[in-house]
Structures are given as structure tokens and as C-alpha cells.
Amino acid sequence: MDITRSFHMNDGVDATSYAKNSALQKGIIDMANHITMDQLKDLYMKNESEKMVIADLGCSSGPNSLSVVRDMVKTVADTCRENKPMPEFLIFLNDLPSNDFNSLFKSFPDFYTQMMGTPLILSIAACPGSFYGRLFPTQFLNFVYSSNSLHWLSKIPRGLNDEKGNSINKGNIHIAGNSPKQVVEAYTDQFREDFPKFLMLRAEEIVVGGRMVLIFNGRAGPDHFDRGFPLLWSILSQSLNIMASHGDVDIEKLDSYNAHYYGPCKDEVEEHVRKQGSFELDRFDVIKPNIGVMHCIVVSQGIRAVQENLIREHFGGNINVDKIFELFTILLIEEAKKEAINVVNFIVALRKN
Ligand code: SAH
């Protein structure tokens, strides 16, 4: 599967859209908001330029991206009232080309209404493309923001099949408790290729002293399986296995379905930043939102909004997605009743050397 062409969150604004099912991600954005805004304020106070060029990488559709842009502009406006003239803003919203940019554009009028009373020159543009490639001119950006996106790898890792082409991770769609160590290595290697590349590309695009705030999924420690996001992947695997046992999902298709996802641990991220060498680590915060029984339906709908399109493309358009996520909800509630589920997320603030 060509991820760059196929991957997108559920389009539009209907009941199963990302726009209506991204409360988990919004919660994480909000928990990180004070750090994002502090970084921006600090940058603005040191910035000599009359322009502030900002990119949101992996903006998706729905309200989350513009809500952060609104907070960014208001933060700078409030800071400059006392201190400096207001800069002109140039804001780029980036995502893969199949993202529903049109729905995002349709919410611009509401966004501008909310910004009324803030005197500003603000241009917003879409920038379709993969953040694992160059997106912007050299030394162009002042501030890069990315929420809930960098755990997506550039591709499904190589090495998940044996020499005959059979899956070595049968019954699983990601690293699971019973996955062979070659599976863990394949995913770790892909992240080792992708994350430093992302840093290197952004280092070319960001001005000296510019900042990045990266918010993405991680793991609690070196163990590849914990009761956070890895548990959610294993519940999705279980749901698909139950479907397969009823003949509703083709077992071979299930064996060949692999998520292009990796949640690193803190040490891995720190090591890659240090080795890559273009950025100084300003802050590293870990948040662990809890998924209680009352959140399970929202989380299940959220995962559906993220995975449905790839599931349909891989298993066929007629697959019973309602059923998969009914099972997912039931299994998730069972787990949440047993023991706390805490999904680990990192907030990484970087400064370009
Ligand atoms: N930032 C939003 C959306 C997160 S969803 C929020 O916090 O709610 C993750 C988004 O990352 C998806 O829209 C997905 O298409 C995008 N994404 C994943 N890999 C990408 C890549 N290589 N380049 C650009 N965008 C990517």
C-alpha cells in the first residue's frame, strides 16, 4: 500500500468523520497548549523579523488545527500589545495530499469571525505533501507545530514477512506481546530512519533560533508493550481476529495488514535528537491521559476515524466496519474495567541551532 497516496483520516463532517471524532487528540493538544504557547511567545520576543512563518504538520481536517492557529495568533497579539509591533503571519497547513483540505477551507469564515477584533495580517495556505520530504524553502519557517502525527511512519516497515512472503506477525497488525523480535526490530528500524530524516529536513527549512513543538504518541519505557497505545492496537487486532473467526474477514488479509505506526520511548527520541544534532532539546514533557470506561466509545470512534480508510482499502470496501468497532468498544470497556489505561504522549520542544 502506498501510504502517501492512501492514508487519510475520515473526510467531511458527518458522524464518522475525523472532524467529529478527534476529542482524544484535542484533549492532548489542550494538555500541551501552555508549552506550545510559551515556546511561541519566547520565540516572538526574540524574533527580529516582521513576519512569523508557521507550519502545522499533519493538520488533518476538522477543528483541531485551526483552534491551535487561533491560539497562536492570539498569544502573539496579546504579547505584542505590551511589547512589540504585531508581525504579519503566514501559516501553512500541511498534510498528505488525500487529506480533506476542502472541509478545512470551509471552516475559514468561522475562523476569521472568531479572529475579529484582532488587528492582523494573516495568510493561510495549504501545503500538501509528506513531512518525510522537503516541504518548504531553505531557512523559511520560524515555528513548526505538529500534533498527533509523528507516530505515523513514512511506510509499512520492511521485514514483516519471511522469505516466502508470509507474515511473521500473524494475527497481529502491530507489535504485540507475542510478536517475534524481528517485528520489533523492523518497526524500530523504520522509526530510526524516519525520525532523524524528519529532523534533518526541518533543520533545512527552519531559521536559526526557530522552534518546533512536536506532540506525538509514545511508550512508557523500553518495553514495546504497555497498557497505552500498544494495548489499543492489540484490541484492534483482537476485533479483526474475532471477525475472521466468524468468516467476516479474510484471515490472509488480516495477516498481511500492518499498521505504519510507531510509538517510541523517551530515550529513543532523545537519542535521535542528540545524534541528528540540528536541534537543542528545550523541553521534554510526558503526558498520560487516562481512558476510563466513560471514554471508551469516544476513543473507539476516534480510532475508527483514523483507521477506517486503510481498513477498507486493504480488506475491501464492503467490510463491516461498524462491527469491527462495536467489538473494539466492547473489548476496550472490558480492559478499562480491569485496570487503568493510560496513553503516553510526548511534548517535545526543540530549538534550531
Ligand atoms: N494535528 C491534528 C490531526 C492529527 S491526525 C490533530 O492533532 O488533531 C494525523 C494526521 O497526520 C493525519 O491527517 C495524517 O494524514 C497526517 N500525516 C500522517 N503522516 C503524514 C506525513 N508523512 N506527512 C504529512 N501528514 C501526515
Side-chain angles (χ1 to χ4, degrees):
M1 191 184 295
D2 181 351
I3 293 298
T4 307
R5 281 178 198 277
S6 301
F7 189 45
H8 63 84
M9 310 291 101
N10 278 356
D11 289 350
V13 289
D14 72 8
T16 59
S17 62
Y18 185 78
K20 293 267 159 63
N21 295 287
S22 43
L24 176 64
Q25 290 86 340
K26 176 69 165 103
I28 293 164
I29 290 171
D30 288 347
M31 288 170 89
N33 207 0
H34 64 288
I35 297 172
T36 309
M37 298 311 147
D38 279 356
Q39 290 289 320
L40 185 64
K41 237 193 265 180
D42 197 46
L43 170 69
Y44 167 70
M45 292 308 293
K46 295 182 178 129
N47 189 24
E48 313 272 279
S49 155
E50 284 150 16
K51 290 190 183 58
M52 186 71 100
V53 187
I54 299 177
D56 178 13
L57 307 185
C59 62
S60 195
S61 50
N64 291 359
S65 179
L66 285 180
S67 83
V68 177
V69 171
R70 188 193 56 222
D71 288 351
M72 286 176 177
V73 174
K74 289 205 161 157
T75 298
V76 174
D78 288 347
T79 316
C80 68
R81 225 163 261 136
E82 299 141 28
N83 299 292
K84 286 172 84 172
M86 185 78 161
E88 296 181 359
F89 289 93
L90 181 52
I91 294 178
F92 289 93
L93 306 181
N94 154 263
D95 209 290
L96 292 170
S98 52
N99 179 55
D100 187 5
F101 285 103
N102 278 341
S103 314
L104 195 56
F105 295 158
K106 284 184 188 145
S107 58
F108 278 13
D110 290 338
F111 169 79
Y112 283 111
T113 309
Q114 287 164 5
M115 298 308 295
M116 251 158 39
T118 311
L120 58 106
I121 298 177
L122 168 67
S123 313
I124 306 184
C127 173
S130 171
F131 50 54
Y132 294 116
R134 269 296 286 270
L135 294 166
F136 300 100
T138 306
Q139 300 262 309
F140 180 66
L141 300 168
N142 301 105
F143 192 79
V144 167
Y145 173 82
S146 177
S147 59
N148 301 299
S149 302
L150 259 172
H151 40 255
W152 294 111
L153 297 168
S154 64
K155 53 173 167 299
I156 299 163
R158 287 173 295 267
L160 297 174
N161 296 317
D162 61 19
E163 56 292 347
K164 292 200 192 105
N166 296 321
S167 167
I168 58 165
N169 197 23
K170 283 199 162 71
N172 298 315
I173 62 170
H174 188 55
I175 302 169
N178 64 352
S179 297
K181 75 171 191 328
Q182 291 89 326
V183 170
V184 173
E185 279 163 14
Y187 275 99
T188 313
D189 285 352
Q190 191 59 51
F191 184 73
R192 189 178 297 128
E193 188 179 313
D194 286 345
F195 188 61
K197 185 174 184 194
F198 174 90
L199 295 174
M200 191 258 295
L201 293 161
R202 300 297 81 80
E204 290 167 3
E205 296 168 348
I206 298 176
V207 299
V208 173
R211 307 289 176 91
M212 282 210 282
V213 174
L214 309 176
I215 304 161
F216 53 97
N217 298 176
R219 309 192 309 274
D223 217 345
H224 279 268
F225 195 79
D226 66 34
R227 286 182 62 79
F229 288 110
L231 177 69
L232 301 188
W233 283 109
S234 95
I235 292 176
L236 186 54
S237 292
Q238 283 176 55
S239 311
L240 289 164
N241 274 289
I242 295 171
M243 297 281 286
S245 69
H246 296 160
D248 297 329
V249 159
D250 182 279
I251 189 77
E252 278 168 18
K253 286 238 158 102
L254 172 52
D255 288 340
S256 60
Y257 190 62
N258 297 300
H260 68 291
Y261 170 97
Y262 185 77
C265 68
K266 187 171 186 233
D267 288 352
E268 281 174 276
V269 176
E270 284 176 343
E271 191 189 335
H272 289 316
V273 169
R274 191 173 43 74
K275 276 200 185 145
Q276 197 283 325
S278 303
F279 292 91
E280 211 57 58
L281 188 59
D282 255 358
R283 274 189 81 146
F284 197 126
D285 292 65
V286 183
I287 53 170
K288 299 177 186 171
N290 176 257
I291 299 177
V293 174
M294 76 274 215
H295 308 119
C296 287
I297 294 176
V298 168
V299 169
S300 174
Q301 289 165 340
I303 303 226
R304 175 179 182 158
V306 171
Q307 276 289 292
E308 177 163 0
N309 143 263
L310 290 184
I311 289 176
R312 284 193 191 279
E313 183 160 330
H314 183 85
F315 291 94
N318 291 333
I319 186 168
N320 190 342
V321 178
D322 288 343
K323 183 81 188 152
I324 298 172
F325 286 94
E326 271 166 33
L327 289 165
F328 185 97
T329 308
I330 294 167
L331 295 169
L332 184 60
I333 290 172
E334 275 172 19
E335 285 293 339
K337 278 185 181 158
K338 256 194 255 167
E339 213 185 307
I341 303 175
N342 285 96
V343 286
V344 173
N345 286 274
F346 298 143
I347 307 158
V348 183
L350 300 164
R351 184 192 303 247
K352 165 80 189 297
N353 290 322

